[in-house]
Amino acid sequence: MEIAPCLIDGRLYTGHGETLEVRNPATNAIVGIVPVCSAALATSAADAAVTAFSSWKRTTAAHRAQLLRSVAAGIRTARDAFATTITLECGKPMLEARGEVEYSASFFDAAASAGEMLEGSTIASRIADRRVFAVREPLGATMAITPWNFPLAMIARKTGPALAAGCTQVVKPSEETPLSASLLGKTMLECGIPAGVFNCVTGDPASIAGALLCHAGMRKLSFTGSTEVGRLLARQASDRLMRCALELGGNAPFIVFADADLARAADQLIAAKFRFMGQTCISANRVFVQRGVLPAFIALLESRMDGLLLGDPLQETTRIGPLISDAAVAKVERHVQDAIARGARLRRGGKIATLKGMSQRFFEPTLLEGGTAGMACACEETFGPILTLHEFETEEEVIESANAVAVGLAAYVMTQDADRLWRVVEQLDAGVIGANDGAPSAAEAPFGGFKESGYGKEGGRIGVEEYTRVKYVSMRVRVP
Ligand code: NAD
């Protein structure tokens, strides 16, 4: 099997023997191998990024935008290869993998446009002969560590804005899904991104991250992954006072008021809950339904869940593929059993689905009612296809319940009352709100969480600004 290369200083690198296997979660078959880069190699990638920064920062925003748009076009041209790679390495159903490819390309387009529009400011001075300016400049060489659940998009969301702002980057993708990152490296090369501007290294997470975090030239860590690892890396980064952006785990509330368009709310919930089998950071984790409409809402959900076809994720018709690992399946099973033990009623699903020729990682889309705050599925991010319904009475009560967790990434509210909608939006303690919208992600929007879901924004104009620093210039002028 051919080694999927890393990209270091403009050269594709296949290593000196030690490799990492990448397995298809649907079948357990090996679908690729990548080199294990040493800490020393990660340091050379960081050196390359630092060297490349000195010339990349001097290119015009328009020039960088042009190159980034060609990367977007390159991704779209290789759409099928990218989508198949995503599906093979993380088990994402093909239809969604195609969506991720387009979503990824859109990050490069959006960053290109935002980079061209970056602005500083002129500030009114209190002194007659003084002029005051705030000038934006790129931060420098940066590092990015990404998760397995969006193998391409989470890189695009960091690399697009970084490069648009004039920064360079070293990316360490998840060891579970390094193949899309390798393909992106090749695309970058083909599109003329200069040597050292984008680098990708694979291998042991702790040793690569350690080498990059203690590199004197690294100016920013952008991390997407679990709160636990984010906390660890932020601690390490604090030694050098490195700027951090942390996109961490969530535990999203999804609130359905009795005055919602229930059919529409059910559609939005199916998208928010079962997209990638619930393995997204903004997946609805606690579903609150107002008393009175629960039976009608359950009927609407059940009719939609009938259409969630389980199968090989490579098939276009498949809506539910495998979970990423045996550990993920075990967590989902634990959450179901814990909920039942604490009084929840299982309406459908709740067990592993056995499919011919497939692994034991397929879990039936599950519907539970009678959810309560103490259940594991309410306290922890499930990251699986379990939909647990909690009943509530009043607006005040549901807002309190929605906010009563340590994290605050996404929250959803479904209602047709515009006053209530805005009132609730203002009180929800989450960085991303789906207001009658179950799929709120967009390349042009500033995505990011509150509380223990991290800090920093990715996407749109703010996403590019986060890769800049503000230099304040005070200038004396001779005035008559
Ligand atoms: P993870 O934290 O296990 O891994 C994320 C990355 O960190 C991977 O690249 C991994 O190799 C690396 N890593 C792991 N241990 C490390 C260590 N000791 N030192 C350095 N690097 C290390 O998370 P995951 O399982 O890949 O992803 C799932 C999590 O990511 C979920 O909690 C999910 O909510 C979160 N997520 C958040 C967002 C967001 O935008 N907020 C988006 C996607 C996923």
Side-chain angles (χ1 to χ4, degrees):
M1 187 174 277
E2 235 177 77
I3 296 176
C6 290
L7 179 65
I8 300 170
D9 201 11
R11 280 188 294 277
L12 295 174
Y13 173 84
T14 49
H16 299 295
E18 208 191 337
T19 55
L20 203 71
E21 287 172 352
V22 183
R23 286 178 186 268
N24 178 353
T27 59
N28 227 13
I30 297 172
V31 289
I33 43 177
V34 294
V36 171
C37 296
S38 61
L41 212 56
T43 302
S44 12
D47 290 341
V50 170
T51 305
F53 175 64
S54 56
S55 45
W56 183 246
K57 72 176 179 191
R58 281 198 287 269
T59 57
T60 62
H63 173 75
R64 296 194 293 268
Q66 196 183 10
L67 282 174
L68 292 175
R69 288 194 182 100
S70 76
V71 172
I75 291 173
R76 290 189 177 103
T77 304
R79 179 180 290 126
D80 289 345
F82 272 111
T84 306
T85 303
I86 290 171
T87 296
L88 285 176
E89 65 181 350
C90 75
K92 184 168 289 184
M94 184 54 89
L95 186 79
E96 288 188 39
R98 285 191 209 291
E100 179 174 345
V101 176
E102 175 50 35
Y103 183 45
S104 306
S106 73
F107 274 111
F108 286 98
D109 279 336
S113 301
E116 286 180 304
M117 303 297 283
L118 269 185
E119 288 179 353
S121 57
T122 308
I123 299 150
S125 172
R126 290 169 181 274
I127 299 170
D129 70 345
R130 179 190 266 172
R131 300 292 176 268
V132 179
F133 308 96
V135 181
R136 276 192 189 278
E137 48 185 45
L139 267 181
T142 62
M143 60 181 282
I145 297 182
T146 55
W148 52 264
N149 64 346
F150 288 88
L152 184 63
M154 291 303 100
I155 300 177
R157 197 164 80 174
K158 299 176 187 311
T159 302
L163 270 50
C167 294
T168 57
Q169 199 158 62
V170 181
V171 174
K172 192 216 74 66
S174 166
E175 58 278 25
E176 262 125 346
T177 57
L179 303 176
S180 306
S182 172
L183 208 50
L184 179 63
K186 285 186 191 162
T187 307
M188 291 277 192
L189 261 189
E190 285 161 14
C191 294
I193 298 292
V197 169
F198 175 81
N199 306 272
C200 174
V201 287
T202 52
D204 176 59
S207 70
I208 292 176
L212 297 176
L213 284 167
C214 68
H215 192 285
M218 280 289 137
R219 294 286 169 259
K220 174 171 176 165
L221 159 70
S222 178
F223 172 79
T224 298
S226 60
T227 296
E228 187 192 359
V229 175
R231 201 175 264 132
L232 178 87
L233 295 178
R235 249 183 240 129
Q236 292 176 26
S238 73
D239 272 353
R240 291 195 44 252
L241 300 178
M242 190 190 283
R243 194 190 286 190
C244 288
L246 303 173
E247 300 285 347
L248 310 177
N251 181 349
F254 191 106
I255 305 169
V256 183
F257 283 101
D259 59 19
D261 174 338
L262 291 184
R264 190 171 158 214
D267 288 337
Q268 298 305 312
L269 176 55
I270 294 292
K273 178 69 251 185
F274 293 109
R275 191 163 62 111
F276 196 24
M277 295 75 80
Q279 299 175 117
T280 77
C281 53
I282 59 168
S283 181
N285 208 52
R286 295 166 294 146
V287 181
F288 298 101
V289 183
Q290 196 160 27
R291 184 145 298 158
V293 294
L294 193 61
F297 193 59
I298 287 176
L300 289 165
L301 286 176
E302 297 225 62
S303 69
R304 282 152 180 80
M305 287 175 75
D306 287 341
L308 296 175
L309 192 66
L310 272 101
D312 183 344
L314 283 170
Q315 299 297 321
E316 296 285 344
T317 49
T318 295
R319 294 294 169 269
I320 301 286
L323 298 184
I324 188 73
S325 62
D326 294 338
V329 175
K331 183 177 187 185
V332 169
E333 282 185 310
R334 174 170 66 79
H335 279 195
V336 171
Q337 280 152 18
D338 171 83
I340 293 170
R342 288 172 195 271
R345 292 170 300 283
L346 180 68
R347 290 196 67 105
R348 62 160 61 203
K351 60 181 191 307
I352 292 172
T354 303
L355 305 177
K356 199 160 168 266
M358 297 282 135
S359 71
Q360 287 286 296
R361 296 193 183 129
F362 290 77
F363 202 88
E364 291 179 357
T366 298
L367 183 61
L368 289 153
E369 59 172 317
T372 56
M375 292 174 179
C377 63
C379 307
E380 301 168 23
E381 184 185 33
T382 299
F383 243 51
I386 308 178
L387 198 166
T388 311
L389 299 167
H390 304 235
E391 225 176 352
F392 74 93
E393 299 263 4
T394 66
E395 190 177 307
E396 295 69 30
E397 168 203 338
V398 78
I399 289 167
E400 194 182 325
S401 305
N403 290 337
V405 287
V407 289
L409 183 56
Y412 303 86
V413 50
M414 306 287 132
T415 171
Q416 294 190 91
D417 177 336
D419 293 327
R420 164 175 277 161
L421 185 70
W422 197 247
R423 213 163 47 228
V424 174
V425 164
E426 285 183 345
Q427 292 179 84
L428 286 171
D429 220 354
V432 178
I433 306 288
N436 290 322
D437 185 359
S441 302
E444 62 277 16
F447 187 98
F450 295 162
K451 303 196 283 186
E452 291 184 21
S453 289
Y455 43 80
K457 297 286 170 191
E458 290 188 325
R461 178 180 56 79
I462 296 177
V464 176
E465 284 177 359
E466 295 239 340
Y467 280 92
T468 65
R469 58 188 187 183
V470 174
K471 186 175 276 175
Y472 145 58
V473 183
S474 174
M475 188 167 90
R476 292 284 178 171
V477 292
R478 284 199 190 88
V479 287

